[in-house]
Amino acid sequence: MSGELAEFMAGFGPVALWTFAGPGAARRLYERNGFVLAEEAVGDGWGPEVAGQRFELEP
C-alpha cells in the first residue's frame, strides 16, 4: 500500500472503492494493493446492465 493511502487511513475505518467489473488489469491493481472484493451486483442505473463491484481495504 502506498504511503499516502496508509497515512489517509490512519484512524479511519475501511476504504471502499466502487467500480465496474471488466478490466482485469484494474482488478489486479486493486488486489495487489490490499483491496478485496466485498460485493458485486448487477444493475442498469447507468444505462446498459453492468456488474458493479465494491472493493474494501481494511486499515
Side-chain angles (χ1 to χ4, degrees):
M1 171 180 3
S2 74
E4 292 84 9
L5 187 55
E7 184 177 333
F8 169 78
M9 290 181 63
F12 290 94
V15 172
L17 169 70
W18 289 89
T19 188
F20 298 105
R27 181 173 181 162
R28 285 189 299 276
L29 174 69
Y30 308 146
E31 292 174 338
R32 189 170 50 243
N33 285 282
F35 284 86
V36 294
L37 182 62
E39 180 183 358
E40 188 168 38
V42 176
D44 61 1
W46 296 95
E49 194 170 86
V50 296
Q53 297 178 322
R54 180 174 54 87
F55 288 84
E56 285 189 351
L57 178 64
E58 296 290 332

